[in-house]
Amino acid sequence: MIWALFLGLAALALAPLGFALFRPVRTTGRREADLALYRAQLAELDRDRAAGRLEEAAHRAATLEVQRRLLTAPDSAAPAHASRGAAALAAFLFLIPAGSFGLYLWRGHPDIPAAPFQERQEAAARDDVLLTQLRARLEQTPPNTEAARQGWILLGNAERGRGRTEAAVEAWNRALASRFDPVLAAELAQLHLETENADAASALLVRALAEAPGEPRLRYLAGLAEAQAGRNANARSTWRALLADAPADAPWRELVERRLQDLP
């Protein structure tokens, strides 16, 4: 019975793939796809201008750039490989469940019972005991040593992983009191922002930026703290300066631009 259930779940998971295999193939030329994309970009620019997220000069420049790409879009149609694509999909429809079933027979352990709630509670209690012991040991360690600092960082990581924000903040503050580190300050500032404590985050970020003024993550978090505190003009100038200094291929550029657009 359980194997029939597994097969049914596998068929349900692969249904979208089967639909893609058997539906009629529609060949779209490259120019047609480019035109649709560029028209969508123009419509998005118009919406941004209407909402006040884009200035008139910036809208005009961006529109001209999209129109230039529209005019230079290639006219050649992309070759279709429908038969090879269908064959590959058909192979996957068979190979994915067969390979998964074989891997489960080889490495799986179907007879292992699920961990009951009581066992999970007991494991959590053991973790609490270990963390309490670690905290007591750190309290006896000289505070300005590297061993104490690393211990408080480890304890903060464990507490954050367990969702105990206040305990993680306390532990990381003890580590920063031993020796200030901009990287750890960024972690703690982000934790403050997650709990909507923008003032504490800003104080940390000011000190961290004094030591590492060019660090992109610190500058991004500084803008986020300003936005969370309602200082939108400060957030906007912080993020614009970050984008001005960022390389064109920075992987986080799109995130910052999106944050800028979302500012009221």
Side-chain angles (χ1 to χ4, degrees):
M1 186 65 184
I2 192 170
W3 295 112
L5 178 61
F6 286 161
L7 288 175
L9 290 174
L12 185 63
L14 292 173
L17 190 61
F19 175 75
L21 172 62
F22 295 111
R23 70 180 177 181
V25 177
R26 179 178 178 271
T27 303
T28 302
R30 177 178 174 183
R31 180 172 177 82
E32 181 182 347
D34 288 343
L35 291 176
L37 174 62
Y38 296 147
R39 290 191 185 105
Q41 290 176 341
L42 289 172
E44 181 67 22
L45 289 173
D46 291 340
R47 284 194 295 270
D48 287 344
R49 182 184 60 178
R53 293 192 296 264
L54 198 63
E55 297 178 355
E56 184 65 33
H59 174 268
R60 185 164 52 253
T63 301
L64 289 175
E65 175 61 19
V66 173
Q67 290 173 344
R68 184 191 64 79
R69 296 178 189 173
L70 183 64
L71 292 173
T72 59
D75 198 16
S76 58
H81 301 286
S83 60
R84 280 190 294 173
L89 285 174
F92 276 118
L93 280 175
F94 171 76
L95 291 177
I96 290 176
S100 302
F101 182 70
L103 182 62
Y104 180 74
L105 291 179
W106 176 42
R107 303 289 294 179
H109 299 282
D111 296 330
I112 294 180
F117 178 71
Q118 183 177 356
E119 290 185 9
R120 296 198 299 271
Q121 272 192 323
E122 292 173 354
R126 288 194 297 270
D127 290 343
D128 286 338
V129 170
L130 290 175
L131 292 179
T132 301
Q133 292 175 349
L134 175 59
R135 184 181 297 273
R137 187 174 303 174
L138 289 172
E139 293 287 356
Q140 303 300 321
T141 305
N144 294 326
T145 62
E146 184 62 21
R149 177 178 174 274
Q150 292 297 331
W152 288 116
I153 293 175
L154 177 63
L155 181 60
N157 291 337
E159 296 288 16
R160 183 181 187 183
R162 291 163 61 83
R164 299 162 71 170
T165 303
E166 292 183 3
V169 168
E170 178 195 358
W172 282 348
N173 274 326
R174 299 283 289 268
L176 288 172
S178 174
R179 178 169 64 81
F180 190 83
D181 176 21
V183 176
L184 181 59
E187 292 290 338
L188 182 53
Q190 184 168 343
L191 192 57
H192 281 311
L193 291 172
E194 290 173 2
T195 56
E196 298 186 356
N197 191 352
D199 292 337
S202 296
L204 270 173
L205 292 167
V206 167
R207 184 176 177 185
L209 283 167
E211 296 192 13
E215 177 59 37
R217 185 186 181 192
L218 293 173
R219 298 172 69 182
Y220 168 73
L221 290 174
L224 199 59
E226 294 296 308
Q228 194 175 101
R231 298 184 288 268
N232 295 324
N234 292 346
R236 187 174 288 106
S237 62
T238 299
W239 284 336
R240 282 177 176 171
L242 175 58
L243 289 174
D245 295 339
D249 57 348
W252 39 263
R253 174 180 283 274
E254 183 179 353
L255 171 64
V256 180
E257 291 173 343
R258 194 181 313 122
R259 288 285 189 180
L260 267 173
Q261 292 177 358
D262 292 340
L263 283 175

